[in-house]
Amino acid sequence: MQIKSITSLVGFLGEFLPGGIPHDSKNEKYSILPSVKNPRWIVPVFDKKLFISSLALYQPSLLRAKILKQLAILTARGGFTNIGKKPAVYFRKNDDAIKKIFGRDDLYYAIFLGTEGCHKKITIQVMNSGGDILGYIKVSGNKDVDELLKNEAGILEDMRNLSLNNGLFPEVLYHGPVKGVDILVLDTLKSAHSKYDSNLSDAHIDFLAEIFLKTSMVIKYRESKFAKRLKERVRDLEVEKLRNSEDERLRELGKIRDFIEEKIGNELVPFGLCHRDFTPWNTFFHDGRLYVFDWEYAEREYPPMLDIFHFIVQDGILVRHLKPAGLLKRVMKNEKMLSKYSSLVGIRDELSMPLLLCYLLDISLLYIEREKGRIEGNIKHMLDTWAGMMELIRGDG
């Protein structure tokens, strides 16, 4: 994504000017990371408090990346914010619309250009002059992302009515068009010092159980919207045959779908609210309470336990680089937490493996649908890993 196209999407904030423009009170200096050809972050470097707060946009999971982030913070505290020879641009603000939403004039911004994929979007961190993080703006670049932002706004509005005791989440400040671009504006309790825990804790389980219990209804599995939709999704992909090379993968997904119905089709199962992207890096702790964000993929009538499995499995794949057998072992090592959740939501522990298959099938279909058949790189690695897990579970009966 080039600076010109970035400016078109964030024009409601202002415009980026090429390097070499003299700095003045209207032109704020930013650095582009990691490079002009591969920009992912655009962060202010004219003020060390703002620069340090901007790094909250980056939540590394790998040890090396965590160390580099801490080094950048320590360096900035010493007054060095130019990040070596990274290219600079200048930003001239024209952000009256956003000032009205936040009800203040001293607004500053850091920009994350998103992870690769069809649902790539821009996320903007909003700060005040002291570097305090006030909220986030998500910017849509296409119709698919428009739908995700609409879904997140609706889910968060529903969440407000749950009167939760065990966790925190963002509040929607605005959702709609601004200067021809659809945006979602959320408040936050995040700070530059917010931390997450990659290990499941009582706080994670209590939060997930509470939102599920307050939104769930019990129904026979095969009669649920979730089960019926799984059939439709597999059938749609089989009809579409996104790529010939994917035919075998799709046939295997159909077998998993049938296997699940054979095992639990007649079971009475509660279905409720599911985050669907519940990972360590989409959470942090605030005054001892779990704060959960990024609700774009959330669904209202999903089986229990899927969020717990996602938390364990995604950390296992992306951070710990575990293979399918190792991931299953990691799931089982969390048996105590899984059992606690099962008890809270009223399901038998024996349903864990069929529900793990539900999770693996659902997440596999999501990625295949989302990427529209472009299965490569890290996406292919995750799909292969999930497929390996499903085969091991099915092999065990």
Side-chain angles (χ1 to χ4, degrees):
M1 187 178 291
Q2 300 301 312
I3 291 298
K4 185 179 291 186
S5 61
I6 296 168
T7 296
S8 69
L9 287 171
V10 301
F12 57 90
L13 295 182
E15 64 175 326
F16 283 101
L17 307 170
I21 302 295
H23 173 69
D24 61 28
S25 59
K26 293 183 179 180
N27 298 333
E28 300 169 351
K29 188 177 181 181
Y30 280 67
S31 274
I32 303 171
L33 305 173
S35 66
V36 172
K37 291 184 178 180
N38 182 31
R40 293 198 68 193
W41 290 272
I42 306 178
V43 296
V45 292
F46 59 90
D47 182 284
K48 71 177 183 180
K49 295 190 298 297
L50 294 174
F51 174 76
I52 291 172
S53 288
S54 296
L55 295 178
L57 262 178
Y58 179 45
Q59 291 205 116
S61 51
L62 298 177
L63 179 60
R64 180 175 178 273
K66 289 179 180 179
I67 292 172
L68 289 174
K69 177 178 176 177
Q70 290 305 311
L71 285 174
I73 292 173
L74 290 173
T75 302
R77 285 174 178 165
F80 300 97
T81 59
N82 284 329
I83 324 179
K85 297 181 179 179
K86 295 297 179 184
V89 291
Y90 288 89
F91 188 64
R92 179 166 291 180
K93 288 187 294 192
N94 182 16
D95 56 349
D96 289 343
I98 305 305
K99 288 177 179 176
K100 288 180 181 178
I101 292 171
F102 282 92
R104 59 192 303 157
D105 292 330
D106 62 328
L107 298 183
Y108 299 87
Y109 309 101
I111 301 172
F112 173 52
L113 301 178
T115 53
E116 292 302 322
C118 293
H119 290 172
K120 184 175 182 179
K121 65 183 178 303
I122 290 176
T123 301
I124 300 160
Q125 181 172 287
V126 184
M127 301 166 284
N128 65 17
S129 56
D132 300 317
I133 303 171
L134 305 177
Y136 290 91
I137 304 171
K138 296 184 178 184
V139 184
S140 170
N142 60 60
K143 291 182 179 180
D144 287 342
V145 177
D146 284 347
E147 288 302 310
L148 290 176
L149 299 189
K150 180 180 178 181
N151 184 60
E152 180 168 19
I155 291 289
L156 290 173
E157 289 298 332
D158 289 349
M159 294 275 288
R160 289 182 62 192
N161 298 322
L162 296 183
S163 301
L164 296 181
N165 299 312
N166 292 309
L168 303 163
F169 54 90
E171 180 177 341
V172 177
L173 300 181
Y174 176 78
H175 175 233
V178 174
K179 295 185 178 180
V181 179
D182 280 340
I183 66 172
L184 175 63
V185 186
L186 306 170
D187 72 356
T188 189
L189 293 173
K190 193 175 187 180
S191 75
H193 309 292
S194 294
K195 298 184 184 300
Y196 65 80
D197 191 344
S198 59
N199 295 307
L200 274 174
S201 68
D202 288 329
H204 297 94
I205 298 301
D206 291 342
F207 176 83
L208 292 175
E210 183 178 13
I211 65 168
F212 192 83
L213 282 170
K214 288 185 174 180
T215 58
S216 64
M217 57 178 288
V218 177
I219 190 171
K220 189 178 291 187
Y221 175 83
R222 69 170 72 253
E223 296 174 358
S224 68
K225 288 183 180 179
F226 175 83
K228 292 175 182 178
R229 182 67 184 129
L230 276 186
K231 284 186 177 181
E232 292 173 358
R233 292 165 72 190
V234 173
R235 184 195 63 217
D236 290 347
L237 288 179
E238 288 172 340
V239 170
E240 193 172 349
K241 290 185 179 178
L242 298 174
R243 281 187 180 181
N244 290 334
S245 61
E246 295 303 315
D247 287 355
E248 183 59 34
R249 189 191 300 277
L250 296 178
R251 280 193 290 271
E252 289 301 312
L253 294 180
K255 292 177 184 177
I256 296 297
R257 173 202 60 202
D258 295 340
F259 183 81
I260 294 170
E261 288 230 358
E262 179 185 329
K263 291 293 181 182
I264 61 170
N266 292 317
E267 287 276 353
L268 290 173
V269 179
F271 289 80
L273 183 61
C274 179
H275 184 283
R276 281 181 93 214
D277 199 13
F278 189 77
T279 60
W281 43 90
N282 282 340
T283 67
F284 61 85
F285 284 91
H286 177 80
D287 290 341
R289 299 181 72 187
L290 186 70
Y291 187 101
V292 183
F293 57 96
D294 276 356
W295 292 80
E296 299 162 12
Y297 294 103
E299 292 283 352
R300 292 177 174 84
E301 295 182 32
Y302 258 49
M305 301 188 80
L306 272 62
D307 281 333
I308 302 175
F309 293 137
H310 191 69
F311 189 96
I312 299 168
V313 170
Q314 289 306 87
D315 178 69
I317 294 176
L318 298 175
V319 180
R320 304 171 195 272
H321 306 294
L322 298 176
K323 295 181 179 179
L327 287 165
L328 286 176
K329 287 181 181 178
R330 182 163 171 76
V331 170
M332 298 313 298
K333 283 182 179 178
N334 283 275
E335 181 181 4
K336 182 179 178 181
M337 288 296 172
L338 294 173
S339 184
K340 175 183 176 179
Y341 178 87
S342 297
S343 177
L344 287 172
V345 302
I347 60 171
R348 294 181 291 108
D349 288 342
E350 291 79 10
L351 291 179
S352 290
M353 285 300 105
L355 290 173
L356 177 53
L357 282 175
C358 286
Y359 158 68
L360 292 168
L361 179 54
D362 176 63
I363 193 69
S364 297
L365 288 168
L366 173 63
Y367 272 67
I368 294 171
E369 293 160 348
R370 191 182 77 176
E371 300 306 316
K372 304 184 188 305
R374 292 188 286 272
I375 308 302
E376 56 191 12
N378 199 42
I379 303 297
K380 184 178 186 304
H381 170 66
M382 287 193 290
L383 282 166
D384 289 343
T385 303
W386 298 327
M389 293 179 70
M390 286 188 280
E391 188 58 35
L392 286 173
I393 296 169
R394 193 174 62 165
D396 290 339

